[in-house]
Amino acid sequence: MTGFGKSEVVVNGKTFTAEIRSLNSKQLDLSLKIPAAYRELENDIRSLATKRVVRGKVDLLVSVTSA
């Protein structure tokens, strides 16, 4: 189970980019990097990710840029 995915969305003049990378592993090891301004959403993002990803070493990077 290896993979890479990237998605972008523009909301209110800000571009949100999410990148996910995974490597094979028997258990879920989720590493999450998000901007400090959005730290309060970390638990919600983790919850969404663990509902979709069952196992693997997973790196999830969320970035925000202003247009």
Side-chain angles (χ1 to χ4, degrees):
M1 174 178 68
T2 62
F4 173 81
K6 181 177 179 180
S7 183
E8 291 184 354
V9 65
V10 177
V11 178
N12 295 331
K14 294 182 181 179
T15 302
F16 293 82
T17 304
E19 292 183 18
I20 189 166
R21 295 181 174 109
S22 70
L23 296 173
N24 195 20
S25 181
K26 290 185 178 183
Q27 287 127 8
L28 180 60
D29 178 14
L30 178 62
S31 172
L32 178 61
K33 294 181 183 175
I34 60 175
Y38 297 94
R39 282 287 176 221
E40 70 273 3
L41 299 175
E42 183 172 353
N43 288 335
D44 294 333
I45 295 169
R46 280 186 183 278
S47 178
L48 288 171
T50 56
K51 286 180 184 176
R52 299 287 182 138
V53 181
V54 177
R55 61 186 213 131
K57 180 176 178 347
V58 178
D59 296 319
L60 177 57
L61 169 65
V62 178
S63 61
V64 181
T65 55
S66 297

